[in-house]
Amino acid sequence: MERSARVAEILSWYGADSPGTLTNLARLLEHGRLGGTGKLLILPVDQGFEHGPARSFAPNPPAYDPRYHFELAIEAGCNAYAAPLGFLEAGARKFAGRIPLILKLNDHDTLADEDDPDQALTGSVADALRLGCSAIGFTIYPGSIHRNAMYGQIREIAEEAKAVGLAVVIWSYARGSSLSKEGETAIDVIGYAAQIAAQLGAHIIKVKLPSDHIEQDAARKVYEKTGIPIGTAAERVKHIVQCAFDGRRIVIFSGGGAAEDAPFLEEIKAIQAGGGFGSIIGRNAFQRSKADALKLLGQVSDIYSGKAQ
Amino acid sequence: MERSARVAEILSWYGADSPGTLTNLARLLEHGRLGGTGKLLILPVDQGFEHGPARSFAPNPPAYDPRYHFELAIEAGCNAYAAPLGFLEAGARKFAGRIPLILKLNDHDTLADEDDPDQALTGSVADALRLGCSAIGFTIYPGSIHRNAMYGQIREIAEEAKAVGLAVVIWSYARGSSLSKEGETAIDVIGYAAQIAAQLGAHIIKVKLPSDHIEQDAARKVYEKTGIPIGTAAERVKHIVQCAFDGRRIVIFSGGGAAEDAPFLEEIKAIQAGGGFGSIIGRNAFQRSKADALKLLGQVSDIYSGKAQ
Amino acid sequence: MERSARVAEILSWYGADSPGTLTNLARLLEHGRLGGTGKLLILPVDQGFEHGPARSFAPNPPAYDPRYHFELAIEAGCNAYAAPLGFLEAGARKFAGRIPLILKLNDHDTLADEDDPDQALTGSVADALRLGCSAIGFTIYPGSIHRNAMYGQIREIAEEAKAVGLAVVIWSYARGSSLSKEGETAIDVIGYAAQIAAQLGAHIIKVKLPSDHIEQDAARKVYEKTGIPIGTAAERVKHIVQCAFDGRRIVIFSGGGAAEDAPFLEEIKAIQAGGGFGSIIGRNAFQRSKADALKLLGQVSDIYSGKAQ
Amino acid sequence: MERSARVAEILSWYGADSPGTLTNLARLLEHGRLGGTGKLLILPVDQGFEHGPARSFAPNPPAYDPRYHFELAIEAGCNAYAAPLGFLEAGARKFAGRIPLILKLNDHDTLADEDDPDQALTGSVADALRLGCSAIGFTIYPGSIHRNAMYGQIREIAEEAKAVGLAVVIWSYARGSSLSKEGETAIDVIGYAAQIAAQLGAHIIKVKLPSDHIEQDAARKVYEKTGIPIGTAAERVKHIVQCAFDGRRIVIFSGGGAAEDAPFLEEIKAIQAGGGFGSIIGRNAFQRSKADALKLLGQVSDIYSGKAQ
Amino acid sequence: MERSARVAEILSWYGADSPGTLTNLARLLEHGRLGGTGKLLILPVDQGFEHGPARSFAPNPPAYDPRYHFELAIEAGCNAYAAPLGFLEAGARKFAGRIPLILKLNDHDTLADEDDPDQALTGSVADALRLGCSAIGFTIYPGSIHRNAMYGQIREIAEEAKAVGLAVVIWSYARGSSLSKEGETAIDVIGYAAQIAAQLGAHIIKVKLPSDHIEQDAARKVYEKTGIPIGTAAERVKHIVQCAFDGRRIVIFSGGGAAEDAPFLEEIKAIQAGGGFGSIIGRNAFQRSKADALKLLGQVSDIYSGKAQ
């Protein structure tokens, strides 16, 4: 496709990266319904690992089949599909080249109680090349007592991925015994999580939509003193984007907590209004019938492409 | 893009390859004006190394600039652009993701007299990943006393390339002191060269258009006894395709020796009629003005896509 | 299948090998119509590389297709199918697990004149594992000035293959400027070639059927003085088997020079009578229609299994 | 530039280092407004990681943009700019060769409660070379229960860095459950921290400005018995410099706790009077407008260059 | 120093390189009297190896001392000093950081007769880092029967050098039994040699000043047909620059054959007029007294900086 001015601008932010990594970033940015707009809509399906299969797929049983998610992502015109090793291995040959793939290299289950979560390494850069992926994905838990080891892991993996021309997507989720439950989505904490992912060298950063809660006292003083606007969701998105190198790193947001479509689409509009780079939507996509999912993802795409508001 | 039945069929031939390599083969097959047809039109520019810059580029001076060839390949809607390290390094950042790239890993100059040619290694699989390439290219000279060493090199390089999901393109040119000049394009020799490249594990094989000359006595007996039709160019193309695993490997042809456009286009029609998979056209593309080149390549594309005959 | 006493005995000869290599030897010995008899019938198809595709496949055009040979070997109940990289890659997925595979790791073409032949490396132990092979195959040319380099190659490759549990098959063909044409099949030379392969650590040795010619003067004196019986083909086979560790290595024979079926089958009977371990039959198998090939290979199997004489 | 006598003297202290490392030390010592004086003024910006983006950059919002800090360091005539991977990657191409860079290889966040801090590895020596850095930076926490692991890390990293000609800067901050809060800046502890960094092979040591508090009883006895002068800030700086190999290692000081410019500049004068080698000034530089920052850093430079007192 | 528009433009041509390599290219381009102009004046001293010490240094005995050449290059304001391992090791500590260094990684002596010259590897990328070099230098001999091995060596070395942020300078000298003596400086051959170096991935290319001789018949036809102007030295320089990616690679010229200063300076003016990027001047620099050398190099610098014409 023609290179849009916006995609060219975004690629110019990654001057330390090789042409190989830029090529894969371009593949992500130029695929699907949002291709060329600078916006991203990604289907992630790691919930089978995170929450178990029945919690994840029983609401829409075709989703037990790994092929379902490739098809959903392709039919919805997503920019990419992200999943753990097993799900990608189960479809990578059949759907080779149909949609950019992101291999999640670490995963987390919920079979053991824990105050400070950690993730297990479940894939490698070599796996990503073998499966034809454009990027690797990695989750960090800022706030967990295991965070430093996780940062060290992604440092090493990201160096390896960049050397072979892959892009790096970091899921940055603040969690751990030092944070309150509402602190996990506090505006200061989400901004901090985005900054850490950016400093670790992520090309694409995925965070949750922040609330207007402020978790850390030291941060509260600054937010109040400098009067950072955080009253609306759009204002908060704008602040998070600022926290990730003043908008010079791609920041996308998870689907959020909304259970109903209307408030969910309001969140998308807020991300768009705040200058966010898009969404990564899992459960709101695959836990309903494909027809319903395609409808919802179509509405999301229309918002990000400017066709709807 | 939608996966066409023909591309799906072609990909099914490469069952020993990883999804990563299939992904890159699909990128080659689905890009450009011929995308999805199963046909390939590739722009190769290694003549600066092979014949020197003035002989290569003086007929069309803008072609001295490495950016020119990226632009020509993109504007002509080629499936890919193939070149040595220096030319790709000089444009890979600017044109990242705009067209599939093939890094030629060995090259040959003509500054020294030689009866049995050899090539120098001039790039690596790591370079190909760093530059965002979809495939590596390698020339072998069946007939040269150096051939066994060259086969050993591509064996090792192809193994490395396949392990990281790249496709392998082999230029198979019979040359050497044991062959007559006309033997280099003899039907038996070209068929043999195609077979060797296929047995070495090439995904895409590039040979010259064969004449009806038969070089080897042992072969002549078989051709005559079994009555292989080689009277027309289309029949010869059909036989070469048969020689490459009965049509189950992609075989493309160089531009041929025709200096005029009309006979050149007749050759393209013969390739199409004989079931060839397309062309790799260098000098006939970049040694004329860009406008003329786009016109000619457009005519070639029309033939391969069935729009013209 | 039940382990036959003969197979158990044969496996007992390979006490230095790992259980992994024994497992693969057992796969070869226990597959197909001759499974369990201690005899082997192997289909090799490297003639496309050795003689070019038309000379190899034009007599039976379906043989251009790599799938044909898998099917032929399976339908004929061969113990194994041996071929270069390209042919195995083109069918290994479709026929995975259907028949033991032997990857030829070096190959030779006949496009260049040469007095002392050499082979090119065209595959690796890693390729063999990736393709699910039970053994690797390697040709040496005792008598060629390149022989020492070839011995060094197979030493290194065999070490690697054994370390990962593969079996090693050596094609030992005496050739080179120091030997006369009839010397290539002289009884002393073939016996010598079998000994060298055995000393190099081959599990299975493939030689040509010897004539009663004696090539080397020093050998002649001994053959005459000690009165080694070499008058009949069966006697010569018996001597060759003796030359390969007194029958404690598997020695199989190529199809020979017979153009007609009757003398060809006489050769098979001689191999059987002399205690040979079987045959590796290429051109006499794939250069005729499949029906004819199945008939002939069936006759061969009947001889080796004792059903016919 | 001409080599000043002072720089030549300083370089003579590092006799075990390669010319490559001396070259990079010279680059640090000879760049910027203080180039050649033997004094250093370094801009470090790791606070985004250490304190989060809003606390760090909201007081001066242009500082969210990674380009801002390159520009500030260049315009202020600093000797070097130090930052984590993400910040350097975001500007290293645009500002290549404009100012010596120091890649912080470990970093620490404040999202989790902890009594004994540790840092995460966030960069590598290979990253430093790839980004064109002159030095690597590393923080140790003498006093933390994690200190021995940190010493082991920097030992290994420093060995690697020196082998490729990079300089090594150690941030030596005493912290941990065994130290009181005021003990972190106690004169005996800071001196001890400087000694440890020097013994670990640092070329440049960064410590905090010490108070006249003495933390450890065993130390207090010696300080009192030998009458080490620690009454004034300059005396304390002089002692710290003595603690780092009697002035034969470069020791620089952090900006200190002063909130107002006047007392801050008094600290600079004390460092200068005590023979300190300069300052590393982060928050006092980038948490004000660039104009104000340039003014303050100019005043600092004037003190160190002897133009002001 | 401030980044000049010309240096920024030149750096933009190297989009496939890391910021580290750009940093070292910038060091070469921004050092010395020509710093920032985009022109280069480099002192190379490998003649001790190439021609023996007496032939090289007896005309100016202080030049036997390795320190002499560092001093000469520094005092003359050269952009860089290039030499083999021994000469750099003998001064790298003393002059650390005083001038960018280029380690010649291969060298050639003239103690053995040969029709086709080759070079010995005499240094490594690790040596270059250890000695604080900004670039590595490597000579190739297009036209020699050893050329392919040399191309393979620099391919591997250049990949390694680029990975650690060094720049690559290729001396491309056509020589060998296939070329006439005057063919070594023929316009077609020099242009070809420049192209090969560029395709091999050189950042800086060093060739000899070409004559108007045309060596190869195939080239002569093109030069005459397309009317490439090669009548004056400036026209020839312009053509050579064109042959190196249409001016998008740095091409510098050796001192030429002129024995007298006046014609030598005329050559410099021709290089300047033709758009060449500067000179690498060895014997004309160190085979005269330092005073005379500084005078001559000053005149050269004045021409390249536009102060003289």
Side-chain angles (χ1 to χ4, degrees):
Chain A
M1 76 189 312
E2 288 290 303
R3 175 72 26 97
S4 72
R6 178 58 176 162
V7 169
E9 181 191 10
I10 291 173
L11 293 178
S12 77
W13 302 336
Y14 299 91
D17 285 293
S18 70
T21 293
L22 293 197
T23 297
N24 275 314
L25 277 173
R27 284 181 180 132
L28 293 168
L29 288 163
E30 296 184 337
H31 189 86
R33 285 186 53 179
L34 294 175
T37 64
K39 302 289 179 176
L40 292 170
L41 176 56
I42 297 175
L43 175 70
V45 190
D46 54 356
Q47 283 81 358
F49 207 114
E50 180 80 22
H51 294 146
R55 277 178 66 193
S56 301
F57 307 129
N60 178 36
Y64 282 107
D65 186 331
R67 294 173 299 182
Y68 178 82
H69 305 285
F70 283 90
E71 289 162 356
L72 175 57
I74 291 167
E75 293 175 30
C78 290
N79 298 69
Y81 167 50
L85 184 72
F87 255 18
L88 289 197
E89 283 193 334
R93 174 172 296 272
K94 179 175 174 60
F95 299 97
R98 300 292 308 283
I99 186 169
L101 300 176
I102 301 169
L103 179 62
K104 260 312 280 320
L105 295 195
N106 64 353
D107 284 290
H108 174 246
D109 70 48
T110 46
L111 281 168
D113 300 332
E114 63 196 352
D115 292 324
D116 287 274
D118 196 1
Q119 293 234 343
L121 285 178
T122 58
S124 71
V125 169
D127 287 327
L129 290 175
R130 174 172 65 87
L131 296 172
C133 300
S134 289
I136 58 99
F138 194 91
T139 296
I140 56 174
Y141 292 134
S144 168
I145 58 173
H146 303 299
R147 71 196 186 287
N148 283 340
M150 302 182 88
Y151 301 166
Q153 283 177 325
I154 185 54
R155 185 216 70 70
E156 189 172 353
I157 288 170
E159 184 177 52
E160 188 185 351
K162 292 173 183 178
V164 296
L166 294 172
V168 174
V169 186
I170 295 183
W171 275 242
S172 191
Y173 288 163
R175 287 187 194 172
S177 55
S178 303
L179 297 175
S180 69
K181 187 65 190 169
E182 62 180 349
E184 295 179 1
T185 52
I187 181 70
D188 58 326
V189 169
I190 296 285
Y192 202 158
Q195 168 78 201
I196 287 172
Q199 293 288 13
L200 288 169
H203 301 109
I204 300 174
I205 298 157
K206 192 263 189 174
V207 291
K208 296 189 178 177
L209 262 184
S211 71
D212 62 2
H213 175 66
I214 295 178
E215 174 79 356
Q216 296 193 296
D217 291 337
R220 184 177 300 107
K221 292 174 194 164
V222 174
Y223 277 81
E224 291 175 352
K225 184 178 177 187
T226 59
I228 300 171
I230 56 170
T232 69
E235 285 171 339
R236 294 192 290 271
V237 165
K238 187 177 178 187
H239 177 62
I240 299 304
V241 169
Q242 187 183 42
C243 285
F245 294 4
D246 211 16
R248 296 176 69 83
R249 285 295 175 268
I250 298 168
V251 183
I252 57 178
F253 295 84
S254 52
E260 302 294 320
D261 285 4
F264 172 79
L265 290 171
E266 287 307 306
E267 290 180 354
I268 301 297
K269 289 175 188 169
I271 296 168
Q272 173 75 344
F277 291 73
S279 288
I280 184 159
I281 299 172
R283 277 170 285 177
N284 271 324
F286 66 77
Q287 289 188 340
R288 58 181 72 198
S289 74
K290 194 194 276 184
D292 285 353
L294 293 176
K295 182 183 166 205
L296 184 67
L297 295 175
Q299 291 170 314
V300 170
S301 295
D302 284 345
I303 292 168
Y304 282 131
S305 64
K307 292 185 187 162
Q309 298 187 333
Chain B
M1 76 189 311
E2 287 291 302
R3 174 71 28 95
S4 72
R6 177 60 176 161
V7 169
E9 181 191 10
I10 291 173
L11 294 178
S12 78
W13 302 335
Y14 299 90
D17 285 293
S18 70
T21 293
L22 292 198
T23 297
N24 275 313
L25 277 173
R27 284 182 180 130
L28 293 168
L29 288 163
E30 296 183 337
H31 189 87
R33 285 186 53 179
L34 295 174
T37 64
K39 302 289 180 176
L40 292 171
L41 176 55
I42 296 174
L43 176 69
V45 191
D46 54 357
Q47 284 80 359
F49 208 112
E50 180 81 21
H51 294 146
R55 280 176 65 192
S56 302
F57 307 130
N60 178 36
Y64 282 107
D65 187 329
R67 296 173 297 182
Y68 178 83
H69 306 285
F70 283 89
E71 289 163 357
L72 175 58
I74 292 167
E75 292 175 30
C78 289
N79 297 69
Y81 167 50
L85 183 71
F87 255 18
L88 290 197
E89 283 194 333
R93 176 172 294 272
K94 178 176 175 59
F95 299 98
R98 300 292 307 283
I99 186 169
L101 299 177
I102 301 169
L103 179 61
K104 258 316 275 323
L105 294 196
N106 63 354
D107 284 289
H108 174 248
D109 70 50
T110 46
L111 279 168
D113 303 331
E114 63 197 352
D115 292 324
D116 287 273
D118 197 1
Q119 294 233 342
L121 286 179
T122 57
S124 71
V125 169
D127 287 326
L129 289 175
R130 173 173 65 89
L131 296 173
C133 299
S134 289
I136 57 101
F138 193 91
T139 295
I140 56 174
Y141 292 134
S144 168
I145 58 173
H146 304 297
R147 71 196 186 288
N148 284 339
M150 301 183 88
Y151 300 167
Q153 283 177 325
I154 184 55
R155 185 214 70 70
E156 189 172 353
I157 288 171
E159 183 178 55
E160 190 186 349
K162 292 174 183 178
V164 296
L166 295 173
V168 174
V169 185
I170 295 184
W171 275 242
S172 192
Y173 288 163
R175 286 188 196 171
S177 54
S178 303
L179 297 175
S180 70
K181 187 65 191 167
E182 62 181 350
E184 294 180 1
T185 52
I187 181 71
D188 58 325
V189 170
I190 296 285
Y192 202 157
Q195 167 79 200
I196 287 172
Q199 293 288 13
L200 289 169
H203 301 109
I204 299 175
I205 297 158
K206 192 264 190 174
V207 291
K208 294 188 178 179
L209 263 185
S211 70
D212 61 2
H213 175 66
I214 295 177
E215 174 79 357
Q216 296 194 296
D217 292 337
R220 184 176 301 109
K221 291 174 194 164
V222 175
Y223 278 80
E224 291 174 353
K225 184 177 177 188
T226 59
I228 301 171
I230 57 170
T232 69
E235 284 170 340
R236 294 192 291 271
V237 165
K238 186 175 178 187
H239 177 61
I240 299 305
V241 168
Q242 188 183 39
C243 285
F245 294 5
D246 212 16
R248 295 175 70 81
R249 285 295 174 269
I250 298 168
V251 182
I252 57 178
F253 294 85
S254 52
E260 302 295 318
D261 284 5
F264 172 80
L265 291 170
E266 287 306 306
E267 290 180 355
I268 302 298
K269 289 175 188 169
I271 296 168
Q272 174 74 344
F277 290 72
S279 289
I280 184 159
I281 299 173
R283 278 171 283 175
N284 271 323
F286 65 77
Q287 289 189 339
R288 58 181 72 200
S289 72
K290 195 193 275 183
D292 286 353
L294 293 176
K295 181 182 165 204
L296 183 67
L297 297 175
Q299 290 171 313
V300 171
S301 296
D302 285 346
I303 293 168
Y304 283 131
S305 64
K307 292 186 186 159
Q309 297 186 333
Chain C
M1 75 191 310
E2 286 290 304
R3 174 67 32 89
S4 72
R6 178 59 178 162
V7 168
E9 181 191 11
I10 291 173
L11 294 178
S12 78
W13 302 336
Y14 299 90
D17 284 293
S18 71
T21 293
L22 292 197
T23 298
N24 275 313
L25 277 173
R27 282 186 182 129
L28 293 168
L29 288 163
E30 297 183 338
H31 187 86
R33 283 184 56 179
L34 295 175
T37 64
K39 302 290 179 176
L40 293 169
L41 176 56
I42 296 174
L43 176 68
V45 191
D46 54 358
Q47 284 80 1
F49 208 113
E50 180 81 20
H51 295 144
R55 279 177 65 192
S56 303
F57 307 129
N60 178 36
Y64 282 107
D65 187 329
R67 295 173 297 183
Y68 178 83
H69 306 286
F70 284 90
E71 289 163 356
L72 174 58
I74 291 167
E75 293 175 31
C78 289
N79 297 69
Y81 167 50
L85 183 70
F87 256 18
L88 290 197
E89 284 193 334
R93 176 173 298 271
K94 179 175 174 61
F95 299 99
R98 300 289 307 284
I99 186 170
L101 299 176
I102 302 169
L103 179 61
K104 257 316 277 322
L105 295 196
N106 63 353
D107 283 290
H108 174 248
D109 70 49
T110 46
L111 278 167
D113 303 331
E114 63 197 351
D115 293 323
D116 287 273
D118 197 1
Q119 293 233 344
L121 286 179
T122 58
S124 72
V125 169
D127 288 325
L129 290 174
R130 174 171 65 89
L131 297 171
C133 299
S134 291
I136 57 100
F138 193 90
T139 296
I140 56 174
Y141 291 135
S144 168
I145 58 173
H146 304 297
R147 69 194 185 286
N148 285 339
M150 301 183 88
Y151 300 166
Q153 284 177 324
I154 183 56
R155 184 214 69 72
E156 189 172 353
I157 288 170
E159 182 178 56
E160 190 185 349
K162 293 173 182 177
V164 295
L166 294 172
V168 174
V169 185
I170 295 183
W171 274 242
S172 189
Y173 288 164
R175 285 188 196 171
S177 54
S178 303
L179 297 175
S180 69
K181 187 67 192 169
E182 61 181 350
E184 295 180 1
T185 52
I187 181 71
D188 59 325
V189 169
I190 296 286
Y192 201 160
Q195 168 77 201
I196 286 171
Q199 294 289 11
L200 287 169
H203 301 109
I204 299 174
I205 297 157
K206 192 263 190 173
V207 291
K208 294 189 178 177
L209 261 185
S211 70
D212 61 2
H213 175 67
I214 296 179
E215 174 80 356
Q216 295 193 296
D217 292 339
R220 184 177 301 109
K221 292 174 194 165
V222 175
Y223 276 79
E224 291 174 353
K225 183 177 178 188
T226 59
I228 301 171
I230 58 171
T232 68
E235 285 170 340
R236 294 192 291 272
V237 165
K238 185 176 178 187
H239 177 61
I240 298 305
V241 168
Q242 188 183 41
C243 285
F245 295 3
D246 210 16
R248 294 175 68 82
R249 284 294 174 270
I250 299 168
V251 182
I252 57 179
F253 295 85
S254 52
E260 301 296 320
D261 285 5
F264 172 79
L265 290 170
E266 287 308 305
E267 290 180 355
I268 302 298
K269 289 174 187 170
I271 295 168
Q272 173 73 346
F277 290 73
S279 288
I280 184 159
I281 300 173
R283 276 171 285 174
N284 271 323
F286 66 76
Q287 288 190 339
R288 58 182 70 200
S289 73
K290 195 193 274 183
D292 286 353
L294 293 176
K295 181 183 166 203
L296 183 67
L297 296 175
Q299 291 170 313
V300 171
S301 296
D302 285 346
I303 292 168
Y304 283 131
S305 65
K307 292 184 187 164
Q309 297 189 330
Chain D
M1 76 189 311
E2 288 290 304
R3 174 69 29 92
S4 72
R6 178 59 177 163
V7 168
E9 181 191 9
I10 291 172
L11 294 178
S12 77
W13 302 336
Y14 298 90
D17 284 293
S18 70
T21 293
L22 292 198
T23 297
N24 275 313
L25 277 173
R27 284 183 179 129
L28 294 168
L29 288 164
E30 295 184 337
H31 188 87
R33 284 186 56 179
L34 294 175
T37 64
K39 302 290 180 178
L40 292 170
L41 176 56
I42 296 174
L43 175 70
V45 191
D46 54 356
Q47 283 81 0
F49 208 113
E50 180 79 22
H51 295 145
R55 281 176 65 193
S56 303
F57 307 130
N60 178 36
Y64 282 107
D65 187 329
R67 295 172 300 182
Y68 177 83
H69 305 285
F70 284 89
E71 289 163 355
L72 175 58
I74 291 167
E75 293 175 30
C78 290
N79 297 69
Y81 167 49
L85 184 71
F87 255 19
L88 290 197
E89 283 193 334
R93 176 172 294 272
K94 178 177 175 59
F95 299 99
R98 299 292 307 283
I99 186 169
L101 300 177
I102 302 169
L103 179 62
K104 261 313 278 325
L105 295 195
N106 63 354
D107 285 290
H108 174 248
D109 70 47
T110 46
L111 278 168
D113 302 332
E114 63 198 351
D115 293 323
D116 287 273
D118 197 0
Q119 294 234 341
L121 286 179
T122 57
S124 71
V125 169
D127 287 326
L129 289 176
R130 173 171 66 88
L131 296 172
C133 299
S134 290
I136 58 99
F138 194 90
T139 296
I140 57 174
Y141 292 133
S144 168
I145 57 173
H146 304 298
R147 69 194 185 287
N148 285 339
M150 301 182 89
Y151 301 165
Q153 284 177 324
I154 184 53
R155 184 215 68 72
E156 189 172 353
I157 288 170
E159 183 178 53
E160 189 186 349
K162 292 174 183 178
V164 296
L166 295 172
V168 174
V169 186
I170 296 183
W171 274 242
S172 190
Y173 288 162
R175 286 188 195 171
S177 54
S178 303
L179 296 175
S180 69
K181 188 66 189 169
E182 60 181 352
E184 295 180 1
T185 52
I187 180 70
D188 58 326
V189 169
I190 296 286
Y192 202 159
Q195 169 76 203
I196 286 170
Q199 294 287 12
L200 287 169
H203 302 110
I204 300 174
I205 298 157
K206 192 262 189 173
V207 290
K208 295 189 178 177
L209 261 184
S211 71
D212 61 2
H213 175 68
I214 295 178
E215 174 79 356
Q216 295 194 296
D217 292 337
R220 184 177 301 107
K221 292 174 191 165
V222 174
Y223 275 79
E224 291 174 351
K225 183 177 178 187
T226 59
I228 300 171
I230 57 170
T232 69
E235 285 171 338
R236 294 191 291 271
V237 165
K238 186 176 177 187
H239 177 61
I240 299 305
V241 169
Q242 188 182 41
C243 285
F245 294 4
D246 210 15
R248 294 175 69 83
R249 285 295 175 269
I250 299 168
V251 183
I252 57 179
F253 295 85
S254 53
E260 301 295 321
D261 284 4
F264 172 78
L265 290 170
E266 286 307 307
E267 290 179 354
I268 302 297
K269 289 175 188 170
I271 295 168
Q272 173 74 344
F277 290 74
S279 289
I280 185 159
I281 300 172
R283 277 169 285 174
N284 271 323
F286 65 76
Q287 288 189 340
R288 58 182 71 198
S289 73
K290 196 195 275 184
D292 286 352
L294 292 177
K295 182 182 165 204
L296 183 68
L297 296 175
Q299 291 171 314
V300 171
S301 295
D302 285 345
I303 292 169
Y304 282 131
S305 65
K307 291 185 186 161
Q309 297 186 332
Chain E
M1 76 190 312
E2 287 289 303
R3 175 70 28 97
S4 71
R6 179 59 176 162
V7 169
E9 182 190 10
I10 291 172
L11 294 178
S12 78
W13 302 336
Y14 299 90
D17 285 292
S18 71
T21 293
L22 293 197
T23 297
N24 275 312
L25 276 173
R27 284 183 181 132
L28 293 168
L29 288 163
E30 296 184 337
H31 188 86
R33 284 186 53 179
L34 295 175
T37 63
K39 302 290 179 177
L40 292 171
L41 176 56
I42 296 175
L43 176 69
V45 190
D46 54 356
Q47 284 80 0
F49 207 113
E50 179 82 21
H51 294 145
R55 277 177 68 192
S56 301
F57 307 130
N60 178 34
Y64 281 106
D65 186 331
R67 294 173 298 182
Y68 178 83
H69 304 286
F70 283 90
E71 289 163 356
L72 175 57
I74 291 167
E75 293 174 31
C78 289
N79 297 69
Y81 167 50
L85 184 70
F87 255 18
L88 290 197
E89 284 193 334
R93 175 174 297 273
K94 179 174 174 59
F95 298 98
R98 300 292 306 283
I99 185 169
L101 299 177
I102 301 169
L103 179 61
K104 257 318 274 328
L105 294 196
N106 63 353
D107 284 290
H108 174 247
D109 68 50
T110 46
L111 281 168
D113 301 330
E114 62 196 352
D115 292 324
D116 287 273
D118 197 0
Q119 294 233 343
L121 285 179
T122 58
S124 70
V125 168
D127 287 325
L129 289 174
R130 173 173 62 88
L131 296 172
C133 298
S134 290
I136 57 100
F138 193 90
T139 296
I140 56 174
Y141 291 134
S144 168
I145 58 174
H146 304 296
R147 70 195 188 287
N148 284 339
M150 301 182 89
Y151 300 165
Q153 284 177 325
I154 185 55
R155 185 217 70 70
E156 190 171 353
I157 289 171
E159 184 177 53
E160 189 186 350
K162 292 174 184 178
V164 296
L166 294 173
V168 174
V169 185
I170 295 184
W171 275 243
S172 191
Y173 288 163
R175 286 188 196 170
S177 55
S178 303
L179 297 176
S180 69
K181 187 65 192 169
E182 62 181 351
E184 294 180 1
T185 52
I187 181 71
D188 59 325
V189 170
I190 296 286
Y192 201 156
Q195 167 79 200
I196 286 171
Q199 294 288 13
L200 289 169
H203 301 109
I204 299 176
I205 297 158
K206 193 265 189 172
V207 291
K208 294 188 178 178
L209 262 185
S211 71
D212 61 2
H213 175 66
I214 295 178
E215 173 79 357
Q216 296 194 296
D217 292 337
R220 183 176 302 107
K221 292 175 194 163
V222 174
Y223 278 81
E224 291 175 354
K225 184 178 178 189
T226 59
I228 301 171
I230 57 170
T232 69
E235 285 171 339
R236 294 191 292 271
V237 165
K238 186 176 178 188
H239 177 61
I240 299 305
V241 169
Q242 188 184 41
C243 285
F245 293 5
D246 212 15
R248 295 175 69 83
R249 285 295 175 267
I250 298 169
V251 183
I252 57 178
F253 294 85
S254 52
E260 302 294 320
D261 283 6
F264 172 79
L265 291 170
E266 287 306 305
E267 289 180 354
I268 301 298
K269 288 176 188 169
I271 296 168
Q272 174 73 346
F277 291 73
S279 289
I280 184 159
I281 299 173
R283 278 171 283 176
N284 272 323
F286 66 75
Q287 288 189 341
R288 58 181 73 197
S289 73
K290 194 192 277 182
D292 286 353
L294 293 176
K295 182 183 165 204
L296 184 67
L297 296 175
Q299 291 171 313
V300 171
S301 295
D302 285 345
I303 292 168
Y304 283 132
S305 64
K307 292 185 186 160
Q309 297 187 333

